[in-house]
Amino acid sequence: MTEVRKRQTVAIVGAGAAGALTAVQLCETATRRRTPLDVVLIDAAPEAGRGTAYATHDPRHRLNVPAGNMSAYPDDSGHFIRWLCRHGEPEVTGADYATRYRYGAYLADTLGQAIVRAHGTVAVRRLRTRAESCTGTPDGRVELRLADGGPLTADAAVLATGPAAPTAAWAPPALHASPRFVGAPWVPGALDGARDGTDDVLLVGTGLTAVDLALTLDRPGRTVHALSRNGLLPQPHALGPAAVMPAPQDLYDTSLGLLRRAVYRHLSRSVRTHGDWRPGLDSLRPHTTRLWRSLTPEEREEFLAREGALWNTHRHRMAPATAEHVLRARTARRLQVHTGTVVRATASDGGPLAVELSDGRTLHVGWVVDCTGPGRRPDDPLWRALFASGTAVPGPQGMGAATRDGRLLDARGEAGLPLFTLGAPRRGELWETTAIPEIRVQAAELAQQLLAPLTPRRRTTRRPVDGHGLALTTHAEAAAAYRGGLDRVLKVRSGAQDAFARAVALDPGFALGHAALALLGHEGGAAVDVPRALAEAQRSARERSDERERSFVDVVTRRITGGDGDEALVRHLRTYPADALALAAAVPTIAFSGVSDLHDDDALGLLALTSPAYDGHWFHTSLLAFLRQEQGRLYEAGELAHRALAVEPASGHAVHALAHVHYESGAHEAGRDWLDRWVSGRGRGAVHRAHFSWHIALHELALDDPAAVRKRWFAQLAPGRVTGVRALVDSGSLLWRARLSDSWRGELPAADVLDSVEREVLERPATAFTALHVAVALTAAGDLPGLRRLRDHALGADLVQREVVGPLCEAFAALVEERFGEAARGLDALLPVLRGVGGSAAQREVVEETLLYALVAAGRCDAARSLLDARLDRKPAPRDRRLLAALPG
């Protein structure tokens, strides 16, 4: 049973980036925990998610962080890139710099999606007004007084107000009073006069705001002047991905002087090693907050005075395209940068402003724009009221507000009212806290902190179980959906993805459901947002799962991210032998690639280990049948497959095992006819129906029946009928094998197969098994550039891809270039290690058949004859007898 608690309310003041990210995390965390919650967003802006930073429509205003670092989620780095791909930018990469307006749309959409998914658990309201004061209530809550006169009572409030407005304290009174002075340039319409005219403009400040406005105001016939005390513009980002280097060891427990020398030595080392200071500076980012906190107040002030501007211009950089615009404007003298301050300004009636600088120069400009950046501490009515009452106090160095882990500290140094903040108001405490990579982490931490006391305590009750008696941390309805998905996976039936998706829709905090979806997407090519599903599995496992479920999520994580997933999977099965989904993933069959280095004896040992947990269950028997045929024990494999099918006629694993038995024993006519009947009957619901059709086509190839192969390809295997990874593994490989044995005359539609596969799969296949089949399809299409890109990817991927797929691409490229002898030598050397890519012997046989073709083309007929003799000894095939008879003398 669950303890019932009163529904809580969290108010978020500010609906820009910080407020939107906080609301997203609250919605999703509360939904996973099934914690009822009301969230109230308070902001007068017309659209949530944009704030000041992302409301600009100017396409020249770009993010100053690459898209790969701008995800809304700290544990899902590719989320923004995938959003861009789905919204009209399919070619975007993590190194690109999106427009700021586009990013605002992303935040708004991410918030909208989170609200939709949270419906029923979290209610979100948006109030188009401002909060002007805040007081405590007798019961420990807070009451916000709104600009429209109404009060709002909440259990806690998050002040996500963004950077403080500039104070313009530098501006002389005459300038401050002039209608040609723009003190808040991001307010809609503030720049209309300056934008439309041709008078020169003075931007006071040379940071990123000044750079953006210089681009907006740049036009022929006008000079834009930019002025600051240091005259430093932000540095540009590197054109390509920066190198990665570790931070130095001698950073901590030292004075500012020693730290300064250590950092400069580190940057010099970066220049010597990488030809660039950026990798060295970027390596300090994870350490910045701790370093800032290690300094004394006096050292912080010294740092701000001596290195503050230098740090900001190098740490907060321009996008390369922005830097190019700036360079062109400076070269044409349309942008001029000055060092100094404004001394006085004189306004004439309707004419330009005469602005005298500290170096004695006078500029005659039509407009002066304040680009000096945020003030030291928030200064809107709400913050003023909090500071005045002592509910909040300034942070270190007078910057932002004092907090403890984001909770405001009062004049007594205590966490008084339940008031929290994130982002810019924590600058004094953290120093680096205004960029999305920092704010998204703070938002996630705040959600955990706010919801910790609200999450209901759950009394121990009997949990539902899966189909093999393992407990599930979810409720009965979600468990039933999960069992349905698991049953379909074990039978190799369609609908597993929908069943798992229903399970997590019923319980968004169900870790196993998310992990199962991630596994299906990663290895089975299911239409799943794999990084998103994996991140949800990890979050849910941390919050509420037992040890077995956490172990399985860890296994899936390691398999997807390229860690020691195989070892982790075997360890998991030793501890939890009844985990059928884990066993299905471990044994290489039709559904999953399996453990890549699992030899027959190892696999049989794994089945022996798990056998007591299944007691002759048809699924376990089906897997054993498949392994027996891989050993060449074909009669025993056939007996086991028939035994499993007698219990469960829809067992796709047993059918798959029997298909291999027929093929490897040379019973091509019987195998073709039996499997054709099954595909037309019970096999109609098979999720990998195309693979069974591929098996039938293999029999037709072996029977030397080109017309039947061609007919089956167009009826059951052509793109449109088969897509994604399945098209590579089945359709693409069949085409190539048909061409190799001279069973496909005319144009080979391999390009159609490639077009049906996502570019990410072709360019960066996740597994060696997929990479092998990408290489086959690229070779069939004669795509040499594609083969070289795949080789480059493989050489930087896992060990099997480096040692097998990389050289395989080289051999295939030699074949395409008709360097047949070199191709034959490369392919022959790979046959002994080919098993490491996974899959079945029948699938890997495509490499042997390519070798046979290369040997014949190279004139090495004796070697080709020996290879064909060995193949015919293994199994009879009319096609191989024809090829052997055709070899010269």
Side-chain angles (χ1 to χ4, degrees):
M1 296 181 63
T2 300
E3 180 181 332
V4 178
R5 294 192 173 193
K6 176 180 172 293
R7 192 178 184 93
Q8 305 277 310
T9 298
V10 175
I12 302 175
V13 180
L21 291 175
T22 303
V24 167
Q25 290 290 342
L26 282 172
C27 286
E28 296 190 353
T29 306
T31 301
R32 285 195 303 273
R33 297 181 178 185
R34 289 180 265 166
T35 301
L37 186 69
D38 290 327
V39 175
V40 184
L41 275 168
I42 304 167
D43 197 314
E47 187 177 358
R50 295 197 177 277
T52 299
Y54 308 117
T56 170
H57 285 76
D58 193 327
R60 292 167 295 187
H61 293 171
R62 294 192 170 269
L63 299 174
N64 63 313
V65 175
N69 292 334
M70 290 296 287
S71 168
Y73 299 95
D75 54 0
D76 184 3
S77 60
H79 189 263
F80 178 44
I81 300 170
R82 299 197 305 277
W83 185 89
L84 288 170
C85 291
R86 291 195 303 268
H87 290 80
E89 299 183 47
E91 305 298 318
V92 72
T93 70
D96 292 329
Y97 294 80
T99 65
R100 300 235 304 273
Y101 189 81
R102 194 80 164 133
Y103 189 71
Y106 162 69
L107 289 179
D109 185 57
T110 300
L111 174 58
Q113 293 294 326
I115 291 172
V116 170
R117 289 193 298 268
H119 179 70
T121 302
V122 181
V124 180
R125 284 189 296 151
R126 173 82 192 283
L127 302 181
R128 292 280 300 280
T129 185
R130 295 186 305 277
E132 297 191 331
S133 66
C134 178
T135 57
T137 66
D139 58 357
R141 297 192 293 169
V142 294
E143 183 176 279
L144 295 164
R145 180 64 57 177
L146 307 181
D148 59 11
L152 174 69
T153 302
D155 296 277
V158 178
L159 309 186
T161 51
T167 62
W170 56 268
L175 177 60
H176 210 286
S178 170
R180 290 182 171 268
F181 175 70
V182 181
W186 296 115
V187 172
L191 293 174
D192 286 351
R195 185 184 287 110
D196 296 337
T198 57
D199 292 337
D200 290 353
V201 176
L202 171 62
L203 309 177
V204 180
T206 56
L208 291 168
T209 295
V211 167
D212 281 341
L213 296 185
L215 299 184
T216 295
L217 299 173
D218 180 32
R219 64 195 72 255
R222 159 184 284 174
T223 299
V224 176
H225 301 274
L227 170 74
S228 70
R229 293 178 185 275
N230 52 68
L232 297 174
L233 287 172
Q235 292 291 310
H237 279 284
L239 289 174
V244 177
M245 67 182 298
Q249 301 295 316
D250 52 347
L251 290 178
Y252 298 110
D253 302 322
T254 185
S255 66
L256 176 61
L258 294 175
L259 174 61
R260 181 183 291 121
R261 285 194 287 275
V263 168
Y264 279 113
R265 283 197 305 270
H266 181 57
L267 296 181
S268 297
R269 189 181 310 116
S270 178
V271 172
R272 291 194 304 272
T273 305
H274 303 290
D276 189 359
W277 51 266
R278 294 172 183 84
L281 189 68
D282 292 345
S283 72
L284 301 177
R285 184 168 186 167
H287 306 271
T288 304
T289 293
R290 185 177 169 190
L291 290 173
W292 173 254
R293 286 175 165 171
S294 73
L295 301 177
T296 66
E298 295 75 20
E299 287 174 327
R300 291 177 188 171
E301 285 295 345
E302 181 184 345
F303 168 77
L304 292 173
R306 288 186 54 179
E307 278 91 20
L310 197 63
W311 172 270
N312 285 329
T313 55
H314 286 73
R315 169 67 186 82
H316 302 285
R317 304 193 282 268
M318 294 184 282
T322 302
E324 180 65 25
H325 281 296
V326 169
L327 179 61
R328 287 201 299 266
R330 294 192 75 179
T331 302
R333 304 289 294 169
R334 296 196 309 272
L335 172 62
Q336 297 183 23
V337 181
H338 309 279
T339 302
T341 60
V342 173
V343 175
R344 67 177 54 86
T346 306
S348 58
D349 293 339
L353 295 165
V355 182
E356 183 179 335
L357 307 185
S358 57
D359 64 358
R361 184 181 310 184
T362 298
L363 299 177
H364 297 276
V365 296
W367 300 87
V368 176
V369 184
D370 186 0
C371 302
T372 54
R376 280 212 163 189
R377 71 181 194 186
D379 195 38
D380 63 21
L382 174 59
W383 280 105
R384 284 199 301 270
L386 292 172
F387 287 132
S389 66
T391 304
V393 293
Q397 278 44 65
M399 294 189 296
T403 74
R404 182 183 300 131
D405 297 328
R407 184 164 182 173
L408 293 186
L409 299 179
D410 59 22
R412 300 169 298 171
E414 297 179 359
L417 296 180
L419 293 173
F420 303 80
T421 192
L422 74 165
R426 298 186 67 184
R427 188 169 177 232
E429 174 195 356
L430 306 175
W431 176 239
E432 286 290 345
T433 181
T434 58
I436 292 296
E438 284 77 33
I439 293 174
R440 67 192 181 195
V441 172
Q442 295 172 29
E445 291 173 346
L446 266 186
Q448 298 287 333
Q449 190 174 351
L450 287 163
L451 291 171
L454 309 183
T455 302
R457 293 192 300 271
R458 303 186 186 279
R459 299 175 185 172
T460 303
T461 59
R462 184 176 179 180
R463 291 183 293 164
V465 296
D466 68 6
H468 299 269
L470 296 178
L472 301 173
T473 306
T474 187
H475 53 71
E477 293 82 3
Y482 178 82
R483 283 194 298 271
L486 179 60
D487 183 66
R488 290 178 177 276
V489 168
L490 302 188
K491 292 178 180 175
V492 199
R493 306 288 289 177
S494 60
Q497 177 187 340
D498 292 340
F500 290 139
R502 175 169 170 74
V504 298
L506 289 166
D507 180 4
F510 183 24
L512 279 189
H514 291 297
L517 282 171
L519 190 63
L520 288 186
H522 174 68
E523 296 205 17
V528 174
D529 186 340
V530 173
R532 171 80 181 175
L534 182 60
E536 291 286 4
Q538 293 166 335
R539 297 165 194 160
S540 301
R542 287 192 297 267
E543 291 177 0
R544 57 173 183 89
S545 287
D546 64 18
E547 187 58 39
R548 194 266 305 187
E549 292 166 321
R550 286 192 293 272
S551 174
F552 184 78
V553 170
D554 179 63
V555 165
V556 175
T557 299
R558 292 169 186 265
R559 286 180 74 83
I560 291 175
T561 58
D564 59 338
D566 289 349
E567 294 85 348
L569 179 53
V570 173
R571 289 195 303 270
H572 176 86
L573 281 167
R574 289 196 180 108
T575 307
Y576 308 104
D579 193 331
L581 185 54
L583 185 60
V587 179
T589 60
I590 188 173
F592 298 104
S593 60
V595 175
S596 60
D597 60 351
L598 198 68
H599 299 297
D600 291 337
D601 291 342
D602 299 326
L604 288 166
L606 202 55
L607 285 181
L609 173 72
T610 56
S611 179
Y614 292 89
D615 192 25
H617 191 277
W618 59 263
F619 168 63
H620 196 273
T621 304
S622 300
L623 295 184
L624 183 58
F626 186 81
L627 289 180
R628 289 302 188 205
Q629 67 81 26
E630 282 284 285
Q631 288 182 302
R633 296 163 64 172
L634 302 180
Y635 179 80
E636 185 179 351
E639 287 293 312
L640 288 167
H642 283 297
R643 186 189 307 168
L645 288 169
V647 178
E648 179 47 73
S651 173
H653 287 299
V655 172
H656 189 219
L658 201 54
H660 277 274
V661 168
H662 285 140
Y663 183 71
E664 299 299 342
S665 64
H668 298 301
E669 291 183 352
R672 176 197 61 193
D673 297 341
W674 183 88
L675 193 53
D676 204 8
R677 287 194 301 272
W678 187 86
V679 166
S680 303
R682 292 186 181 275
R684 288 181 178 177
V687 68
H688 296 302
R689 191 163 181 257
H691 187 65
F692 293 116
S693 296
W694 174 83
H695 269 283
I696 302 171
L698 281 193
H699 287 305
E700 291 166 341
L701 267 178
L703 290 167
D704 217 12
D705 190 349
V709 172
R710 194 179 185 95
K711 179 180 178 182
R712 190 166 302 277
W713 195 89
F714 281 110
Q716 298 174 356
L717 290 163
R721 300 182 181 279
V722 188
T723 58
V725 174
R726 199 77 263 166
L728 281 174
V729 173
D730 297 324
S731 309
S733 68
L734 180 68
L735 275 181
W736 182 235
R737 292 170 82 151
R739 170 54 57 87
L740 291 173
S741 62
D742 203 26
S743 296
W744 190 288
R745 301 293 176 87
E747 184 179 356
L748 200 69
D752 295 340
V753 173
L754 293 171
D755 289 343
S756 72
V757 183
E758 291 185 8
R759 179 183 174 186
E760 179 73 15
V761 174
L762 297 177
E763 300 283 344
R764 291 173 287 276
T767 66
F769 178 75
T770 302
L772 165 67
H773 286 87
V774 173
V776 167
L778 291 170
T779 304
D783 188 347
L784 276 172
L787 280 170
R788 293 189 178 112
R789 289 194 299 271
L790 179 62
R791 174 204 60 196
D792 293 343
H793 161 76
L795 294 178
D798 58 78
L799 181 65
V800 177
Q801 292 206 49
R802 291 198 302 272
E803 294 187 350
V804 180
V805 177
L808 185 69
C809 289
E810 295 279 9
F812 279 167
L815 187 79
V816 172
E817 293 179 324
E818 299 185 356
R819 293 180 282 116
F820 297 116
E822 183 178 339
R825 287 190 294 274
L827 293 170
D828 189 48
L830 287 170
L831 288 184
V833 296
L834 196 61
R835 186 180 184 121
V837 303
S840 67
Q843 289 169 317
R844 299 189 298 270
E845 195 177 53
V846 66
V847 177
E848 183 184 77
E849 293 185 356
T850 308
L851 169 61
L852 177 62
Y853 177 86
L855 289 171
V856 174
R860 296 176 55 190
C861 294
D862 288 342
R865 184 175 292 104
S866 295
L867 181 55
L868 280 168
D869 284 338
R871 285 166 60 90
L872 286 166
D873 285 343
R874 290 201 309 265
K875 58 177 178 287
R879 175 199 54 186
D880 284 357
R881 286 197 294 269
R882 172 177 61 82
L883 294 175
L884 181 62
L887 288 176

